Coordinates of all heavy atoms in Angstrom, one line a residue:
M890 N 20.5 6.7 232.9 CA 21.6 6.7 232.0 C 22.1 8.1 231.6 O 21.2 8.9 231.2 CB 21.2 5.9 230.7 CG 22.3 5.7 229.7 SD 21.8 4.8 228.3 CE 22.9 5.3 227.2
R891 N 23.3 8.3 231.6 CA 23.9 9.6 231.2 C 23.9 9.6 229.6 O 24.1 8.6 229.0 CB 25.3 9.7 231.7 CG 25.9 11.0 231.5 CD 26.8 11.4 232.6 NE 27.6 12.5 232.3 CZ 27.2 13.8 232.6 NH1 26.1 13.9 233.3 NH2 28.0 14.8 232.4
D892 N 23.6 10.8 229.1 CA 23.7 10.9 227.6 C 25.1 11.0 227.1 O 26.0 11.1 227.9 CB 22.8 12.0 227.1 CG 23.3 13.4 227.6 OD1 24.5 13.6 227.6 OD2 22.5 14.3 227.9
W893 N 25.2 11.0 225.8 CA 26.5 11.0 225.2 C 27.2 12.3 225.0 O 28.2 12.5 224.4 CB 26.4 10.3 223.8 CG 26.1 8.8 224.0 CD1 25.0 8.2 224.4 CD2 27.1 7.7 223.9 NE1 25.1 6.9 224.5 CE2 26.4 6.5 224.1 CE3 28.4 7.6 223.5 CZ2 27.0 5.3 224.1 CZ3 29.0 6.4 223.4 CH2 28.3 5.2 223.7
T894 N 26.6 13.4 225.5 CA 27.1 14.7 225.4 C 28.5 14.9 226.0 O 29.3 15.7 225.6 CB 26.2 15.8 225.9 OG1 26.0 15.6 227.3 CG2 24.9 15.9 225.1
I895 N 28.8 14.0 226.9 CA 30.2 14.1 227.6 C 31.2 13.9 226.5 O 32.3 14.4 226.6 CB 30.3 13.1 228.7 CG1 31.6 13.3 229.5 CG2 30.2 11.7 228.3 CD1 31.8 14.6 230.1
L896 N 30.9 13.0 225.5 CA 31.9 12.8 224.4 C 32.1 14.0 223.6 O 33.2 14.3 223.2 CB 31.5 11.6 223.6 CG 31.5 10.2 224.3 CD1 31.0 9.1 223.4 CD2 32.9 9.9 224.8
E897 N 31.0 14.7 223.4 CA 31.1 16.0 222.6 C 31.9 17.0 223.4 O 32.8 17.7 222.9 CB 29.7 16.6 222.4 CG 28.9 15.8 221.4 CD 27.5 16.3 221.2 OE1 27.0 17.1 222.1 OE2 26.8 15.8 220.3
E898 N 31.7 17.1 224.7 CA 32.5 18.0 225.6 C 34.0 17.6 225.6 O 34.8 18.5 225.5 CB 31.9 18.0 227.0 CG 30.6 18.6 227.1 CD 29.9 18.3 228.5 OE1 30.7 17.9 229.4 OE2 28.7 18.6 228.6
L899 N 34.3 16.3 225.7 CA 35.7 15.9 225.6 C 36.3 16.2 224.3 O 37.4 16.7 224.2 CB 35.8 14.4 225.9 CG 35.6 13.9 227.3 CD1 35.6 12.4 227.3 CD2 36.8 14.4 228.1
W900 N 35.5 16.1 223.2 CA 36.1 16.4 221.9 C 36.4 17.9 221.8 O 37.4 18.3 221.2 CB 35.1 16.0 220.8 CG 35.5 16.3 219.4 CD1 34.9 17.1 218.5 CD2 36.7 15.7 218.7 NE1 35.7 17.2 217.3 CE2 36.7 16.3 217.4 CE3 37.6 14.8 219.1 CZ2 37.7 16.0 216.5 CZ3 38.6 14.5 218.2 CH2 38.7 15.1 216.9
E901 N 35.5 18.7 222.3 CA 35.8 20.2 222.3 C 37.1 20.5 223.1 O 37.9 21.3 222.7 CB 34.6 20.9 222.9 CG 33.4 20.9 222.0 CD 32.2 21.5 222.6 OE1 32.3 22.2 223.7 OE2 31.1 21.4 222.0
V902 N 37.3 19.8 224.3 CA 38.5 20.1 225.0 C 39.7 19.6 224.3 O 40.7 20.3 224.2 CB 38.4 19.3 226.4 CG1 39.7 19.3 227.1 CG2 37.3 20.0 227.3
I903 N 39.6 18.5 223.6 CA 40.7 17.9 222.9 C 41.1 18.9 221.7 O 42.3 19.2 221.5 CB 40.4 16.5 222.3 CG1 40.4 15.5 223.5 CG2 41.4 16.1 221.3 CD1 39.8 14.2 223.2
Q904 N 40.1 19.4 221.0 CA 40.3 20.3 220.0 C 41.0 21.6 220.5 O 41.9 22.2 219.9 CB 39.0 20.7 219.2 CG 38.5 19.5 218.4 CD 37.3 20.0 217.6 OE1 37.4 20.3 216.5 NE2 36.1 20.0 218.2
D905 N 40.5 22.1 221.6 CA 41.1 23.3 222.2 C 42.6 23.1 222.6 O 43.4 23.9 222.4 CB 40.3 23.7 223.5 CG 40.8 25.0 224.1 OD1 40.8 26.0 223.4 OD2 41.3 24.9 225.2
R906 N 42.9 21.9 223.2 CA 44.2 21.6 223.5 C 45.1 21.5 222.3 O 46.3 21.9 222.3 CB 44.3 20.3 224.3 CG 43.6 20.3 225.7 CD 44.1 21.3 226.6 NE 43.6 21.1 228.0 CZ 42.5 21.6 228.4 NH1 41.7 22.3 227.6 NH2 42.1 21.4 229.6
A907 N 44.6 21.0 221.2 CA 45.3 20.9 219.9 C 45.6 22.3 219.4 O 46.7 22.6 218.9 CB 44.6 20.1 218.9
D908 N 44.6 23.2 219.5 CA 44.7 24.5 219.0 C 45.5 25.5 219.9 O 46.2 26.4 219.4 CB 43.3 25.2 218.8 CG 42.5 24.5 217.7 OD1 43.1 23.8 216.9 OD2 41.3 24.7 217.7
H909 N 45.5 25.2 221.2 CA 46.2 26.0 222.1 C 47.1 25.1 223.1 O 46.7 24.9 224.3 CB 45.3 26.8 223.0 CG 44.3 27.6 222.1 ND1 43.0 27.2 221.9 CD2 44.5 28.8 221.4 CE1 42.4 28.1 221.1 NE2 43.3 29.1 220.8
P910 N 48.1 24.5 222.6 CA 48.9 23.5 223.4 C 49.5 24.2 224.6 O 49.8 25.4 224.6 CB 50.0 23.1 222.5 CG 49.6 23.5 221.1 CD 48.7 24.6 221.2
S911 N 49.5 23.5 225.7 CA 50.2 24.0 226.9 C 51.0 22.9 227.6 O 50.7 21.7 227.4 CB 49.1 24.6 227.9 OG 48.4 23.5 228.4
A912 N 52.1 23.3 228.2 CA 53.0 22.4 228.8 C 52.4 21.5 229.9 O 52.8 20.4 230.0 CB 54.2 23.1 229.4
G913 N 51.4 22.0 230.5 CA 50.7 21.2 231.6 C 49.6 20.3 231.2 O 49.0 19.6 232.0
S914 N 49.3 20.3 229.9 CA 48.2 19.6 229.4 C 48.6 18.2 228.9 O 49.4 18.0 228.1 CB 47.5 20.3 228.2 OG 46.6 19.5 227.5
Y915 N 47.9 17.2 229.5 CA 48.1 15.8 229.1 C 47.8 15.6 227.6 O 48.6 15.0 226.9 CB 47.3 14.8 230.0 CG 47.4 13.4 229.6 CD1 48.6 12.7 229.8 CD2 46.3 12.7 229.0 CE1 48.7 11.4 229.4 CE2 46.4 11.4 228.6 CZ 47.6 10.7 228.9 OH 47.7 9.4 228.5
V916 N 46.7 16.1 227.2 CA 46.3 16.0 225.8 C 47.3 16.6 224.9 O 47.8 16.1 223.8 CB 44.9 16.6 225.5 CG1 44.6 16.6 224.0 CG2 43.8 15.8 226.3
S917 N 47.8 17.8 225.2 CA 48.8 18.5 224.4 C 50.1 17.7 224.3 O 50.7 17.7 223.3 CB 49.1 19.9 225.0 OG 48.0 20.8 224.9
S918 N 50.4 17.1 225.5 CA 51.7 16.3 225.5 C 51.6 15.1 224.5 O 52.6 14.8 223.9 CB 52.0 15.8 226.9 OG 51.1 14.8 227.3
I919 N 50.4 14.5 224.4 CA 50.3 13.4 223.4 C 50.2 14.0 222.0 O 50.9 13.4 221.1 CB 49.0 12.7 223.7 CG1 49.1 11.9 225.0 CG2 48.7 11.7 222.6 CD1 47.8 11.2 225.5
L920 N 49.5 15.0 221.7 CA 49.4 15.6 220.4 C 50.6 16.2 219.8 O 50.8 16.3 218.6 CB 48.2 16.6 220.3 CG 46.8 16.0 220.6 CD1 45.8 17.1 220.6 CD2 46.5 14.9 219.5
T921 N 51.5 16.6 220.7 CA 52.7 17.3 220.3 C 54.0 16.4 220.5 O 55.1 16.9 220.4 CB 53.0 18.6 221.0 OG1 53.1 18.4 222.4 CG2 51.8 19.6 220.7
H922 N 53.8 15.2 220.9 CA 54.8 14.3 221.2 C 55.7 14.1 219.9 O 55.3 14.1 218.8 CB 54.3 12.9 221.6 CG 55.3 12.1 222.3 ND1 56.2 11.3 221.6 CD2 55.6 11.9 223.6 CE1 56.9 10.6 222.5 NE2 56.6 11.0 223.7
R923 N 57.0 13.8 220.2 CA 58.0 13.7 219.1 C 57.6 12.5 218.2 O 58.0 12.4 217.0 CB 59.4 13.5 219.6 CG 59.6 12.3 220.5 CD 61.1 12.2 220.9 NE 61.2 11.2 221.9 CZ 61.2 9.9 221.6 NH1 61.0 9.5 220.4 NH2 61.3 9.0 222.6
K924 N 56.9 11.5 218.7 CA 56.5 10.3 217.9 C 55.3 10.6 217.0 O 54.9 9.8 216.2 CB 56.1 9.2 218.8 CG 57.2 8.6 219.6 CD 56.7 7.4 220.4 CE 57.9 6.7 221.2 NZ 57.3 5.6 222.0
G925 N 54.7 11.8 217.1 CA 53.6 12.2 216.3 C 52.4 11.3 216.6 O 52.1 11.0 217.7
V926 N 51.6 11.0 215.5 CA 50.4 10.2 215.7 C 50.7 8.9 216.4 O 49.8 8.3 217.1 CB 49.7 10.0 214.4 CG1 50.5 9.1 213.5 CG2 48.3 9.5 214.5
D927 N 51.9 8.3 216.3 CA 52.2 7.0 216.9 C 52.0 7.1 218.4 O 51.6 6.0 219.0 CB 53.6 6.6 216.6 CG 53.8 6.2 215.2 OD1 52.8 6.1 214.4 OD2 55.0 5.9 214.8
K928 N 52.2 8.2 219.0 CA 52.0 8.3 220.5 C 50.6 8.0 220.9 O 50.3 7.3 221.8 CB 52.5 9.6 221.0 CG 52.4 9.7 222.5 CD 53.3 8.7 223.2 CE 53.2 8.8 224.7 NZ 54.0 7.8 225.4
S929 N 49.7 8.7 220.1 CA 48.3 8.5 220.5 C 47.8 7.1 220.2 O 47.0 6.5 220.9 CB 47.4 9.5 219.7 OG 47.5 9.3 218.3
L930 N 48.4 6.5 219.1 CA 48.0 5.1 218.8 C 48.5 4.2 219.8 O 47.8 3.2 220.1 CB 48.5 4.8 217.4 CG 47.9 5.7 216.2 CD1 48.6 5.3 214.9 CD2 46.4 5.6 216.2
E931 N 49.7 4.4 220.3 CA 50.2 3.6 221.4 C 49.3 3.6 222.6 O 49.0 2.6 223.2 CB 51.6 4.1 221.8 CG 52.7 3.8 220.8 CD 54.0 4.4 221.2 OE1 54.1 5.0 222.3 OE2 55.0 4.4 220.4
K932 N 48.8 4.8 222.9 CA 47.9 4.9 224.1 C 46.6 4.2 223.8 O 46.1 3.5 224.7 CB 47.6 6.4 224.4 CG 48.8 7.2 224.9 CD 49.4 6.6 226.2 CE 48.4 6.6 227.4 NZ 49.0 6.0 228.6
V933 N 46.1 4.2 222.6 CA 44.9 3.5 222.3 C 45.1 2.0 222.5 O 44.3 1.2 223.1 CB 44.4 3.7 220.9 CG1 43.3 2.8 220.5 CG2 43.9 5.2 220.8
G934 N 46.3 1.5 222.0 CA 46.6 0.1 222.1 C 46.7 -0.3 223.6 O 46.2 -1.4 224.0
E935 N 47.4 0.5 224.4 CA 47.6 0.2 225.8 C 46.3 0.2 226.5 O 46.0 -0.8 227.3 CB 48.5 1.3 226.4 CG 48.7 1.3 227.9 CD 49.4 2.5 228.4 OE1 50.3 3.0 227.7 OE2 49.0 3.0 229.5
E936 N 45.4 1.1 226.3 CA 44.1 1.2 227.0 C 43.2 0.0 226.5 O 42.5 -0.5 227.3 CB 43.5 2.5 226.8 CG 44.2 3.7 227.3 CD 44.5 3.6 228.8 OE1 43.9 2.8 229.5 OE2 45.5 4.3 229.3
A937 N 43.3 -0.4 225.2 CA 42.5 -1.5 224.7 C 42.9 -2.8 225.4 O 42.0 -3.5 225.8 CB 42.7 -1.6 223.2
V938 N 44.2 -3.0 225.6 CA 44.7 -4.2 226.3 C 44.2 -4.2 227.7 O 43.7 -5.2 228.3 CB 46.2 -4.3 226.2 CG1 46.7 -5.4 227.2 CG2 46.6 -4.6 224.8
E939 N 44.3 -3.0 228.4 CA 43.8 -2.9 229.8 C 42.3 -3.2 229.9 O 41.9 -3.8 230.8 CB 44.2 -1.6 230.4 CG 45.7 -1.5 230.6 CD 46.2 -0.1 231.0 OE1 45.4 0.8 231.2 OE2 47.4 0.1 231.2
F940 N 41.6 -2.7 228.9 CA 40.1 -2.9 228.9 C 39.8 -4.4 228.7 O 39.0 -4.9 229.5 CB 39.5 -2.1 227.8 CG 38.0 -2.5 227.6 CD1 37.0 -2.1 228.4 CD2 37.7 -3.3 226.5 CE1 35.7 -2.5 228.2 CE2 36.4 -3.7 226.2 CZ 35.4 -3.3 227.1
I941 N 40.5 -5.0 227.8 CA 40.3 -6.4 227.5 C 40.6 -7.3 228.8 O 39.8 -8.2 229.1 CB 41.1 -6.9 226.3 CG1 40.6 -6.3 225.0 CG2 41.2 -8.4 226.2 CD1 41.6 -6.4 223.9
L942 N 41.7 -7.0 229.4 CA 42.0 -7.7 230.6 C 41.0 -7.6 231.7 O 40.6 -8.5 232.4 CB 43.4 -7.4 231.1 CG 44.6 -7.8 230.2 CD1 45.9 -7.2 230.7 CD2 44.6 -9.3 230.1
A943 N 40.6 -6.3 231.9 CA 39.6 -6.1 233.0 C 38.3 -6.8 232.7 O 37.7 -7.4 233.6 CB 39.4 -4.6 233.1
A944 N 37.8 -6.7 231.4 CA 36.6 -7.4 231.1 C 36.7 -8.9 231.2 O 35.8 -9.6 231.7 CB 36.2 -7.0 229.6
K945 N 37.9 -9.4 230.7 CA 38.1 -10.9 230.7 C 38.1 -11.4 232.2 O 37.6 -12.4 232.5 CB 39.4 -11.2 230.0 CG 39.7 -12.7 230.0 CD 41.0 -13.0 229.3 CE 41.4 -14.4 229.2 NZ 40.9 -15.3 230.1
N946 N 38.7 -10.6 233.1 CA 38.8 -11.0 234.5 C 37.6 -10.6 235.3 O 37.5 -10.8 236.5 CB 40.1 -10.3 235.1 CG 41.3 -10.9 234.5 OD1 41.4 -12.1 234.2 ND2 42.3 -10.1 234.4
Q947 N 36.6 -10.1 234.6 CA 35.3 -9.8 235.2 C 35.4 -8.9 236.4 O 34.9 -9.2 237.5 CB 34.5 -11.1 235.5 CG 34.2 -11.9 234.2 CD 33.4 -13.1 234.5 OE1 33.3 -13.6 235.6 NE2 32.9 -13.7 233.4
V948 N 36.1 -7.8 236.2 CA 36.2 -6.8 237.3 C 35.5 -5.5 236.8 O 36.0 -4.7 236.1 CB 37.7 -6.4 237.5 CG1 37.9 -5.4 238.7 CG2 38.5 -7.7 237.8
P949 N 34.2 -5.4 237.1 CA 33.3 -4.4 236.6 C 33.9 -3.0 236.8 O 33.8 -2.2 235.8 CB 32.0 -4.6 237.4 CG 32.0 -6.0 237.8 CD 33.5 -6.3 238.1
E950 N 34.4 -2.6 238.0 CA 34.8 -1.3 238.2 C 36.0 -0.9 237.3 O 36.1 0.1 236.7 CB 35.3 -1.1 239.7 CG 34.3 -1.5 240.7 CD 34.3 -3.0 241.0 OE1 35.4 -3.6 240.9 OE2 33.2 -3.6 241.2
R951 N 36.9 -1.9 237.1 CA 38.1 -1.7 236.3 C 37.7 -1.7 234.8 O 38.2 -0.9 234.0 CB 39.1 -2.9 236.4 CG 40.3 -2.8 237.3 CD 40.9 -1.6 237.5 NE 42.1 -1.4 236.7 CZ 42.7 -0.3 236.5 NH1 42.4 0.8 237.1 NH2 43.8 -0.2 235.7
T952 N 36.7 -2.5 234.4 CA 36.2 -2.5 233.1 C 35.7 -1.2 232.7 O 36.0 -0.6 231.6 CB 35.2 -3.6 232.9 OG1 35.8 -4.9 233.3 CG2 34.7 -3.7 231.4
V953 N 34.9 -0.6 233.6 CA 34.3 0.7 233.3 C 35.4 1.8 233.2 O 35.4 2.6 232.3 CB 33.3 1.1 234.4 CG1 32.9 2.6 234.3 CG2 32.0 0.2 234.3
S954 N 36.3 1.8 234.1 CA 37.4 2.7 234.1 C 38.3 2.6 232.9 O 38.6 3.6 232.3 CB 38.3 2.5 235.4 OG 39.4 3.3 235.4
E955 N 38.6 1.4 232.5 CA 39.4 1.2 231.3 C 38.7 1.5 230.0 O 39.2 2.0 229.1 CB 40.0 -0.2 231.3 CG 40.9 -0.6 232.4 CD 42.1 0.3 232.5 OE1 42.5 1.1 231.6 OE2 42.8 0.3 233.6
A956 N 37.4 1.3 230.0 CA 36.5 1.7 228.9 C 36.5 3.2 228.7 O 36.6 3.7 227.6 CB 35.1 1.1 229.0
A957 N 36.4 3.9 229.8 CA 36.5 5.4 229.8 C 37.8 5.8 229.2 O 37.9 6.7 228.4 CB 36.2 6.0 231.2
D958 N 38.9 5.2 229.7 CA 40.3 5.6 229.2 C 40.4 5.3 227.7 O 41.0 6.1 227.0 CB 41.4 4.8 230.0 CG 41.6 5.2 231.4 OD1 41.1 6.3 231.8 OD2 42.2 4.5 232.1
L959 N 39.8 4.2 227.3 CA 39.9 3.8 225.9 C 39.2 4.8 225.0 O 39.7 5.2 224.0 CB 39.4 2.4 225.7 CG 39.4 1.8 224.3 CD1 40.8 1.9 223.6 CD2 38.8 0.4 224.3
L960 N 38.0 5.1 225.4 CA 37.2 6.1 224.6 C 37.9 7.5 224.6 O 37.9 8.1 223.5 CB 35.8 6.3 225.2 CG 34.8 5.2 225.0 CD1 33.5 5.4 225.8 CD2 34.4 5.1 223.5
F961 N 38.4 7.9 225.7 CA 39.1 9.2 225.7 C 40.3 9.1 224.8 O 40.5 10.0 224.0 CB 39.6 9.5 227.2 CG 40.5 10.6 227.2 CD1 40.0 11.9 227.2 CD2 41.9 10.5 227.4 CE1 40.9 13.0 227.2 CE2 42.7 11.5 227.4 CZ 42.2 12.8 227.4
H962 N 41.1 8.1 224.9 CA 42.3 8.0 224.0 C 42.0 7.8 222.6 O 42.7 8.2 221.7 CB 43.3 7.0 224.6 CG 44.0 7.4 225.8 ND1 43.5 7.2 227.1 CD2 45.1 8.2 226.0 CE1 44.4 7.7 227.9 NE2 45.3 8.4 227.3
L963 N 40.9 7.2 222.3 CA 40.4 7.0 220.9 C 40.1 8.4 220.3 O 40.5 8.7 219.2 CB 39.2 6.1 220.9 CG 38.7 5.7 219.5 CD1 39.8 5.0 218.7 CD2 37.5 4.8 219.6
L964 N 39.5 9.3 221.1 CA 39.2 10.6 220.7 C 40.5 11.4 220.4 O 40.6 12.1 219.4 CB 38.3 11.4 221.7 CG 36.8 10.9 221.8 CD1 36.1 11.6 222.9 CD2 36.1 11.2 220.5
V965 N 41.4 11.2 221.3 CA 42.7 11.9 221.1 C 43.4 11.4 219.8 O 43.9 12.2 219.0 CB 43.7 11.7 222.3 CG1 45.0 12.3 222.0 CG2 43.1 12.4 223.6
A966 N 43.3 10.1 219.6 CA 43.9 9.5 218.4 C 43.1 10.0 217.1 O 43.7 10.2 216.1 CB 43.8 8.0 218.4
F967 N 41.8 10.2 217.2 CA 41.0 10.8 216.1 C 41.7 12.1 215.8 O 41.9 12.4 214.6 CB 39.6 11.0 216.5 CG 38.7 9.8 216.5 CD1 37.4 9.9 217.0 CD2 39.1 8.6 216.0 CE1 36.6 8.8 217.0 CE2 38.3 7.5 216.0 CZ 37.0 7.6 216.5
K968 N 41.9 13.0 216.8 CA 42.4 14.3 216.5 C 43.8 14.2 215.9 O 44.1 14.9 214.9 CB 42.5 15.1 217.8 CG 42.9 16.6 217.6 CD 41.9 17.3 216.8 CE 42.3 18.7 216.5 NZ 41.4 19.4 215.6
A969 N 44.6 13.4 216.4 CA 46.0 13.2 215.9 C 46.0 12.7 214.5 O 46.9 13.0 213.7 CB 46.8 12.2 216.8
S970 N 45.0 11.9 214.1 CA 44.9 11.3 212.8 C 44.1 12.1 211.8 O 44.0 11.8 210.6 CB 44.2 9.9 212.9 OG 45.0 9.1 213.8
G971 N 43.5 13.2 212.3 CA 42.7 14.1 211.4 C 41.3 13.5 211.1 O 40.7 13.8 210.1
V972 N 40.8 12.7 212.0 CA 39.5 12.0 211.8 C 38.5 12.8 212.7 O 38.7 13.1 213.9 CB 39.5 10.6 212.3 CG1 38.1 10.0 212.3 CG2 40.5 9.8 211.4
D973 N 37.4 13.2 212.0 CA 36.3 13.8 212.8 C 35.3 12.8 213.3 O 34.9 11.9 212.5 CB 35.6 14.8 211.8 CG 34.6 15.7 212.5 OD1 34.0 15.2 213.5 OD2 34.4 16.8 212.0
P974 N 35.1 12.8 214.6 CA 34.1 11.8 215.2 C 32.8 11.8 214.5 O 32.1 10.8 214.4 CB 34.0 12.2 216.6 CG 35.2 13.0 216.9 CD 35.6 13.7 215.6
A975 N 32.4 12.9 213.9 CA 31.1 13.0 213.2 C 31.1 12.0 212.0 O 30.1 11.4 211.7 CB 30.8 14.4 212.7
D976 N 32.3 11.9 211.4 CA 32.4 10.9 210.2 C 32.2 9.5 210.7 O 31.6 8.7 210.0 CB 33.7 11.1 209.5 CG 33.9 12.5 208.8 OD1 32.8 13.1 208.5 OD2 35.0 12.9 208.6
V977 N 32.7 9.2 211.9 CA 32.6 7.9 212.5 C 31.1 7.6 212.8 O 30.6 6.5 212.5 CB 33.5 7.7 213.7 CG1 33.2 6.4 214.4 CG2 34.9 7.9 213.4
L978 N 30.5 8.6 213.4 CA 29.0 8.5 213.7 C 28.2 8.3 212.4 O 27.3 7.5 212.4 CB 28.5 9.7 214.5 CG 29.2 9.9 215.9 CD1 28.7 11.1 216.5 CD2 28.9 8.7 216.7
E979 N 28.6 9.0 211.3 CA 27.9 8.8 210.1 C 28.1 7.4 209.5 O 27.1 6.8 209.0 CB 28.4 9.9 209.0 CG 27.8 11.2 209.3 CD 28.3 12.2 208.3 OE1 28.7 11.8 207.1 OE2 28.4 13.4 208.6
E980 N 29.3 6.9 209.7 CA 29.5 5.5 209.2 C 28.7 4.5 210.0 O 28.1 3.6 209.5 CB 31.0 5.2 209.4 CG 31.4 3.8 209.0 CD 31.2 3.4 207.6 OE1 31.2 4.3 206.7 OE2 31.1 2.2 207.3
L981 N 28.6 4.7 211.3 CA 27.8 3.8 212.2 C 26.3 3.9 211.8 O 25.6 2.9 211.7 CB 28.0 4.2 213.6 CG 29.3 3.8 214.2 CD1 29.5 4.4 215.6 CD2 29.5 2.3 214.3
A982 N 25.9 5.1 211.5 CA 24.5 5.3 211.1 C 24.2 4.6 209.8 O 23.2 4.0 209.6 CB 24.1 6.8 211.0
A983 N 25.1 4.7 208.8 CA 25.0 4.1 207.5 C 24.9 2.6 207.7 O 24.2 1.9 206.9 CB 26.1 4.5 206.6
R984 N 25.6 2.1 208.6 CA 25.6 0.6 208.8 C 24.3 0.2 209.4 O 24.0 -1.0 209.3 CB 26.8 0.2 209.7 CG 28.1 0.4 209.0 CD 29.2 0.0 210.0 NE 30.5 0.2 209.4 CZ 31.7 -0.2 209.9 NH1 31.7 -0.9 211.0 NH2 32.8 0.0 209.3
R985 N 23.7 1.0 210.1 CA 22.4 0.7 210.8 C 21.3 0.6 209.9 O 20.3 -0.1 210.2 CB 22.2 1.8 211.9 CG 20.9 1.7 212.7 CD 21.2 0.9 213.9 NE 20.1 1.0 214.8 CZ 19.3 -0.1 215.0 NH1 19.5 -1.2 214.5 NH2 18.2 0.1 215.8
K986 N 21.3 1.2 208.7 CA 20.2 1.2 207.8 C 20.0 -0.1 207.1 O 20.8 -0.9 206.9 CB 20.4 2.3 206.7 CG 20.4 3.7 207.4 CD 20.7 4.8 206.3 CE 20.7 6.1 207.0 NZ 21.0 7.2 206.1

């Protein structure tokens, strides 16, 4: 099993794209979109639906791919919304107790 450090690495890239936007960056294009935070939220919704459909239709490869897309876009939406993933992890840990 791969550890969760990939999510930390993705978060660092997302933060860098936010701090240093570039025309060729997909993340920058979402974070600087004229719709503001709504663009990132639209992507989360789109990817959530695609994940649900893949899981419902029992297509393992698609389910994994869409889950990865959903996690990625959720991180982008965190950045767009000013949410620190560490706060989400703390909330999960508090619920575990």
Side-chain angles (χ1 to χ4, degrees):
M890 179 178 160
R891 185 147 173 93
D892 64 38
W893 290 75
T894 59
I895 187 64
L896 293 176
E897 292 174 348
E898 292 171 12
L899 282 172
W900 180 243
E901 289 174 10
V902 170
I903 290 164
Q904 290 186 96
D905 182 65
R906 297 300 191 274
D908 294 341
H909 308 100
S911 68
S914 166
Y915 176 69
V916 172
S917 292
S918 72
I919 292 174
L920 293 176
T921 61
H922 196 277
R923 63 179 172 73
K924 292 183 177 180
V926 69
D927 287 356
K928 183 62 179 177
S929 65
L930 299 177
E931 288 173 6
K932 292 302 296 180
V933 169
E935 174 187 322
E936 298 303 339
V938 168
E939 291 174 358
F940 168 75
I941 290 166
L942 292 173
K945 182 179 181 336
N946 292 325
Q947 299 181 343
V948 183
E950 310 82 34
R951 260 334 258 167
T952 304
V953 168
S954 175
E955 296 302 342
D958 288 347
L959 179 56
L960 283 171
F961 171 78
H962 285 93
L963 189 58
L964 288 173
V965 174
F967 284 171
K968 185 64 181 175
S970 301
V972 172
D973 188 328
D976 294 336
V977 176
L978 295 175
E979 285 180 27
E980 177 65 22
L981 288 170
R984 292 179 183 190
R985 180 88 169 109
K986 294 178 183 176

